[in-house]
Amino acid sequence: MAPASKAWAVVAGVGPGTGAAVARKFGLEYPVALLARSPENYEPLVKEINDTGGKAIGISTDVADANSVTSAFRKIESEFGSHGCAAAIFNASGRFFRKSVLELTEKEFTAGYEVSAKGAFLFTQAALPHLLKVAEESSTPHPPTLIYTGATASVKSNALMSSFSTGKYAMRALAQSVAREFAPKGVHVAHAIIDGVIDIPRTKEWLKDQPPEAKISAAGIADAYWNLHTQPKTTFTNEIDIRPMLEKW
Amino acid sequence: MAPASKAWAVVAGVGPGTGAAVARKFGLEYPVALLARSPENYEPLVKEINDTGGKAIGISTDVADANSVTSAFRKIESEFGSHGCAAAIFNASGRFFRKSVLELTEKEFTAGYEVSAKGAFLFTQAALPHLLKVAEESSTPHPPTLIYTGATASVKSNALMSSFSTGKYAMRALAQSVAREFAPKGVHVAHAIIDGVIDIPRTKEWLKDQPPEAKISAAGIADAYWNLHTQPKTTFTNEIDIRPMLEKW
Amino acid sequence: MAPASKAWAVVAGVGPGTGAAVARKFGLEYPVALLARSPENYEPLVKEINDTGGKAIGISTDVADANSVTSAFRKIESEFGSHGCAAAIFNASGRFFRKSVLELTEKEFTAGYEVSAKGAFLFTQAALPHLLKVAEESSTPHPPTLIYTGATASVKSNALMSSFSTGKYAMRALAQSVAREFAPKGVHVAHAIIDGVIDIPRTKEWLKDQPPEAKISAAGIADAYWNLHTQPKTTFTNEIDIRPMLEKW
Amino acid sequence: MAPASKAWAVVAGVGPGTGAAVARKFGLEYPVALLARSPENYEPLVKEINDTGGKAIGISTDVADANSVTSAFRKIESEFGSHGCAAAIFNASGRFFRKSVLELTEKEFTAGYEVSAKGAFLFTQAALPHLLKVAEESSTPHPPTLIYTGATASVKSNALMSSFSTGKYAMRALAQSVAREFAPKGVHVAHAIIDGVIDIPRTKEWLKDQPPEAKISAAGIADAYWNLHTQPKTTFTNEIDIRPMLEKW
């Protein structure tokens, strides 16, 4: 069954975990554009969504590059039309360096910020006009929604984690500023603190001696994001945390 | 249509706002017990739920009184059976004093704590065995859930607000401690920071010059609580904030 | 040498740790009143301060009892005169129960609040008029100061800690509310998060395999409090954390 | 009188406010190196400190440029010797853009991060070996100290402030990570949240209708930083806030 809505959704940072689950979920209702650096990351999913009655496109995008982001949104508009954006989810993370602050190269240190904050900024700038269009035309049943995927490191900055946490703290600052600026214009902005290991193929060997409730299900995150999206203008949640039942915090 | 579930739900602090909306929402799925000091606060709602195919009882309860709370839960069990508690929502608030710390009597100062924290503690102690029963028997599709209704004053303590904020800060501490203790046993504990004016008859004259999006809808809160309740064990949210789109924060 | 100042200081919660160190430090400048439940806790220190040229009195006080607190301040005034209070430090803690929320009696649960929050409130009410007197008369070189001793549990509420943390969260709410109300009137209010084990006789056996830098020195806390006290009106610190160099946080 | 210590201090971001006051304060005890982009910012102060018996050098430095920072520290060592760094204060802020997230250029958005976070990182990397030298040799009476100057925007991110706040949030993340990594090695790392308008020539016209207690005194900040520096290993403060008595918060 084709998506009911003409307004589309966009997910940046599609891999085997949260991004894919979110794309599947929002793809049930909206044409959905999947952005990732490497086509391998979205191709099977684009096919899956299209094969099961949805409407998806994948666009190879470097979220830290302004031209790449601009061109991705131009592509989305040319494919899906100028119906505006119902939901934009920023889920990208850069390379991860667990190193002493003394051992990080400048490039490694800034890698967290490049994707998590500068990338989030470029994505935000590109998505907002389309989100505002939906807000102004009230063309979807739910307020247009912009969600950022944060982490434990968005609120706690441990030793050896400065590259990652500086990017995530900065992303949270961006999310709060954008939320405050655009809520009065009808755009719902939310930041999610994902606290724990997500259950994906890459983490299969982690926490092996523990029951499944020691890891977060990506589908559960997608459901939580969908629930954020369906909140009315009178009831915006701007921050949630998400962790599996066995997580220590 | 009668509720599908035998496990029941309980809402403490049922008035015309959040409590009533939550009772209506959870009453679609569960037999629901409504606790409030004054029967006027729950009687019409009990009738409404029973008239529309649900199953509700009201119990006059002083949440700050241990005997009253114990006896309320005994009554619930005798009415609804020992099927356990699927959801317990603590939504009570004591009298509110906006006064200089120099002008508060001891009784006024402690009034916030009496209901928000001691009341929450007594409710928690009474509800937990019933929540654990559902967790152990996995007798509901969703993990049993314990939700506390907080406020802006749960995280910010302004001048003249000490009676209210000390109670709300303490309730948040309780919620976090209980969440950490009982999540590994399968009970989902969440704390909601309700930030703004709820749209109820009593606040009709407030923010009158503003559009409806300046107030929180109680039904929106109830939906958010339901969404918390339906989260699986792999995806627990322990804290959310909720505010209307026009709220300054 | 007798204290230079006629305005006095008062410390509630004097035991062998922080309270004693704070009394010694502030006793170098001010006549100092030491409040504790049991005279054993202040008697040697009162003697020590008086023997070394200071001026100290001890008053057996139950901070959770309004009459006891009122009478203590009346005693201070009769002994030290109506010169006002230069510094009031609330350092009392009630009995500590490390127990499941299911096992706490109501009395045990409320024990944390009784001292940490209600006691802090009663102390605040009693001290404020004397602090305001010093503020209005600018009778001391430093703005009058009210300091609350918090703990890790003031901002993190772990499993089994609800009695303690609910009291400490509530005290922090009180401190913030009082700070916001009375800073414009010239009273400096600060809250200290003491994060770690204090090095006192009772904790001698703790962390025994670690170097001294694994524990907090009470004298270090007293110095930090004194530094807070000497801040001018243009530079108030309202919250600090304090931990030993080897503390994990 | 020449500074007693051979170990030196370094202040990055010396202008007419906090930086200058901190340099003056630490210059009473240590030879002090002043870093700023423009020599105008440090030249009068270098002269003043040298004329009054201290020992100061100024180095034109772009903290966001790795080579510039490296060369500055080489210069310091060649001038002051390899005695290590007793205190390093990072006080630099980039250009400030108060703009909608939609109107910021990429360069404007990243400007906050470039100085506040990347600059802080480069400064941290350059200073740490010298701080560790002092820690290892215990060559100063106080543990070597690394202080970062934050702002209200380090913990609250308002509308139109994303360029500034993303940089400041990221700096706070860096400070926390470095604190956790290097405290066990004896380096005291602290982050200061400066909340309010600092009283400097540039802000002379601001808050003109208010008494002096509406602004923060730079000298007060310098005293607070000195107090942080003099804390022993048993009593590290990792975060303080500072605001004038009339600030709303």
Side-chain angles (χ1 to χ4, degrees), chain A residues 145-168:
Chain A
T145 308
L146 173 55
I147 302 176
Y148 301 87
T149 300
T152 321
S154 303
V155 289
K156 183 164 189 195
S157 177
N158 285 326
L160 314 187
M161 297 285 282
S162 64
S163 165
F164 190 62
S165 64
T166 48
K168 289 295 189 185

Side-chain angles (χ1 to χ4, degrees), chain D residues 8-75:
Chain D
W8 38 268
V10 55
V11 183
V14 173
T18 307
V22 169
R24 266 187 206 100
K25 183 79 188 178
F26 283 73
L28 296 175
E29 185 78 18
Y30 303 114
V32 62
L34 316 191
L35 315 188
R37 253 173 179 283
S38 156
E40 296 160 40
N41 276 332
Y42 55 70
E43 274 170 357
L45 188 59
V46 166
K47 188 175 177 329
E48 177 195 318
I49 293 174
N50 285 321
D51 284 356
T52 54
K55 199 168 157 188
I57 56 172
I59 306 169
S60 170
T61 313
D62 176 359
V63 292
D65 181 86
N67 289 333
S68 179
V69 174
T70 310
S71 123
F73 275 80
R74 209 174 295 130
K75 179 96 187 289

Side-chain angles (χ1 to χ4, degrees), chain A residues 76-160:
Chain A
I76 300 174
E77 218 175 347
S78 80
E79 295 274 335
F80 290 158
S82 303
H83 306 291
C85 178
I89 289 98
F90 187 79
N91 185 56
S93 264
R95 267 194 67 195
F96 182 83
F97 302 93
R98 188 179 180 86
K99 279 192 180 183
S100 166
V101 75
L102 283 177
E103 283 158 25
L104 286 166
T105 64
E106 179 179 331
K107 207 175 161 181
E108 289 168 346
F109 176 75
T110 57
Y113 174 84
E114 279 295 303
V115 173
S116 292
K118 199 185 84 179
F121 163 73
L122 295 171
F123 180 82
T124 300
Q125 272 204 333
L128 267 173
H130 304 282
L131 291 158
L132 287 167
K133 188 180 172 66
V134 165
E136 281 150 22
E137 301 178 356
S138 299
S139 51
T140 57
H142 314 300
T145 308
L146 173 55
I147 302 176
Y148 301 87
T149 300
T152 321
S154 303
V155 289
K156 183 164 189 195
S157 177
N158 285 326
L160 314 187

